Every structure is written in C-alpha cells, then in structure tokens.
Amino acid sequence: MKVTQALISVSEKRGVVDFARALAGLGIKLLSTGGTAKLLRDAGLAVMDVSEYTGFPEMLDGRVKTLHPKVHAGILGRRDSPEHTHTMEAHGIPRIDLVVVNLYPFQQTVAKADCTLDDAIENIDIGGPAMVRAAAKNHGNEQGGVGVVTDPEDYAGIIDELQAGGGLSYRTRFALAKKAFTHTARYDSAIANWLTRLDDENRLTPFPNRLQLAFDKVEDLRYGENPHQQAAFYREPAALPGMSILRAGTLDDPSWLKPTMEIFCDSAQPWVELGGAMQRFPKMPMPG
C-alpha cells in the first residue's frame, strides 16, 4: 500500500529535514507539530500543523497536541477492514501511513546535576509514546499497515524502499514495530528507574526501589551452563560505547573473561555473571 501521508514529530532532529524532503519529493503529505514543523517549514518544505489538521489548537503548554481522534484513527484504522475504512471516510479521517516520532529527552534531562522533579515530569512524553504504540500496533499485514520510525538511522533505508515501490513491505513494518515497542519500553523503564530513586521527601537516592534492565543480544552460544541447554550472550546497550569485542575464539571458549556485566539466559533460568566473579571458573585466566 502506497504511503500518502506522514506525521513527523521528533525531539532528535538529526537528519529529519533531508528525510522529510525526500518524502515530499515522493508526493507524501507532511503533518508535524511545534519545533519540528517550524524546522521543516524554515527548510522550505510544505507542512501542515497538526492543530490545523485536526481543527483543534495545541493547549496546556503543549501537553495536548496530537491526542485527537483524527490523528489516532488515521493511524489505528485497519487497512484490511472495510468497516474501518467506511468509518474513517464517514468522519473525514484520512490515513496516516508513516509515523516518525522520537520521544522527549527524559534520560538526558535527569542526567543533569541540577534536574528537579518538575523538570523530569515535564520531560515525560505522553503523545509521542501513544502515537508510536498506535503505529506499531497497526503495522498490519501483507495488505497494508503503518510504518513507525523511531531511529534516524532507519531514514535512508526507508527512503530507498519507498522510492523503489511507493510503500513499505510487511517485513519492514513489522521490524520497525518491534523496534518501536523496544523504544517505548526502554523509555518507560528509564522513567520508572529514576522516579523510584526518590524517597518520601523527593530526594534522589543512589538506587531505585524497582530496577528495570534492558540488554541487547550479541550472539547465540553453542550451549548453556550444561551441554543440553540453550544460551545467548547479552550486554547493556550503553556498555563500552564504540568499543568492539576482540577475541580469538568464540564466547563459548572459557579462555577469556569479559570485564563488564554480562547476562546469560539459558532455558532453565536467567542468571547474571559479573566480570570479576572468578570463583565460578577458578581455572580461567584473568584478562591481561
């Protein structure tokens, strides 16, 4: 199904002007909000503000911008449902086929030494996650669906696919949906981790009461703690940024020990191994 309309509202604006220009060059209508709309308009692009599109102004200091049936029905309407199509047409609601959203910079805000509780609360995104989750839920099937873009690194590949066929394949939309749900899950985890560090007087303590962790899989292993078990190697997304794993053998080879937190999940029960825990493998050499 051809992409006809995109909604773009991003905090991370890297690459968004060129991406939007490429979309416009394909005849795709652009909807946007606030600072993103201004940025695109200043770059000479024709863009419609969501407030003009919905006929309802932004309000409450920008807290309510995209939370409107014309936005969410345009995203959530199933493309393979005649009933949904009829309802949308009856209410004058066009499809929104591409949602390009990344979220308020909560983690960057709370990382500042002078961050207050009010600062943190104001950087909890509401409309953004709602659109991301709606678009990811309605990624659809082979007959069509919504593409959701949360990572600027995906812009180039999406443009290539749109230029080749006018739409996004189900495989691409599903991959983007999985990435989007991961994005919102980690965003909510960051909020929960920070808020549960506050004591009854709203003073920040060293550790949260509820710790949400997220790891990315590096690779599958040949076996788990025992030969009959399955296992995989995971690491934190921010662990050693820009670094590469250098080794002669595989992760199954106990001739080295990674000096960072590693999590191995086998089919019996997940367990955590810390780089310095040499007692588990007393014969393993320390890394040089």
Side-chain angles (χ1 to χ4, degrees):
M1 182 175 286
K2 186 176 180 180
V3 172
T4 60
Q5 186 165 234
L7 193 158
I8 307 175
S9 182
V10 294
S11 293
E12 168 56 79
K13 294 178 171 57
R14 172 172 51 95
V16 73
V17 171
D18 290 339
F19 182 60
R21 182 175 287 114
L23 293 177
L26 294 169
I28 297 170
K29 297 177 182 177
L30 304 179
L31 303 175
S32 192
T33 64
T36 306
K38 183 179 186 304
L39 178 68
L40 300 182
R41 196 172 285 118
D42 289 348
L45 294 171
V47 57
M48 179 179 287
D49 282 292
V50 165
S51 58
E52 180 184 355
Y53 179 73
T54 62
F56 205 87
E58 294 185 14
M59 58 169 47
L60 307 180
D61 298 321
R63 285 188 170 199
V64 178
K65 292 182 284 192
T66 58
L67 297 169
H68 191 280
K70 193 170 182 179
V71 172
H72 282 272
I75 296 170
L76 281 166
R78 288 184 56 171
R79 277 44 174 173
D80 61 348
S81 169
E83 181 181 354
H84 283 202
T85 300
H86 174 73
T87 300
M88 291 168 67
E89 290 174 350
H91 291 278
I93 299 175
R95 297 193 329 257
I96 296 175
D97 304 306
L98 191 66
V99 173
V100 185
V101 172
N102 49 60
L103 309 178
Y104 290 176
F106 180 84
Q107 290 164 288
Q108 294 92 324
T109 298
V110 298
K112 297 175 183 177
D114 60 349
C115 176
T116 66
L117 178 58
D118 284 344
D119 293 334
I121 294 298
E122 284 306 309
N123 277 276
I124 295 176
D125 204 328
I126 302 301
M131 289 191 293
V132 168
R133 289 174 61 84
K137 175 175 180 174
N138 201 31
H139 66 272
N141 50 37
E142 297 291 351
Q143 296 181 50
V146 181
V148 55
V149 191
T150 56
D151 184 355
E153 295 298 324
D154 292 322
Y155 291 168
I158 288 169
I159 293 301
D160 288 344
E161 188 167 338
L162 292 175
Q163 289 175 337
L168 298 176
S169 68
Y170 168 71
R171 181 175 182 176
T172 296
R173 284 183 273 110
F174 190 35
L176 291 171
K178 290 187 283 187
K179 193 169 188 176
F181 279 123
T182 301
H183 183 61
T184 58
R186 290 182 173 176
Y187 188 77
D188 284 339
S189 293
I191 294 169
N193 285 345
W194 192 83
L195 290 178
T196 60
R197 287 178 59 193
L198 299 176
D199 65 16
D200 291 340
E201 303 297 325
N202 290 338
R203 294 171 301 198
L204 203 61
T205 63
F207 304 106
N209 290 333
R210 298 288 185 272
L211 179 62
Q212 317 295 323
L213 298 176
F215 292 82
D216 292 334
K217 188 168 80 169
V218 177
E219 61 184 80
D220 292 319
L221 303 181
R222 286 178 296 177
Y223 52 82
E225 191 169 4
N226 297 296
H228 69 282
Q229 295 172 319
Q230 295 179 324
F233 168 62
Y234 288 79
R235 68 176 173 185
E236 288 184 287
L240 300 177
M243 304 293 285
S244 300
I245 297 177
L246 302 178
R247 62 177 187 272
T250 67
L251 284 171
D252 310 271
D253 180 1
S255 62
W256 65 285
L257 183 64
K258 185 176 177 62
T260 189
M261 185 175 182
E262 302 169 359
I263 183 166
F264 290 79
C265 297
D266 61 38
S267 59
Q269 181 179 352
W271 54 278
V272 173
E273 172 71 18
L274 295 178
M278 296 303 300
Q279 296 141 343
R280 190 173 187 87
F281 301 108
K283 296 182 180 180
M284 291 175 64
M286 287 291 289

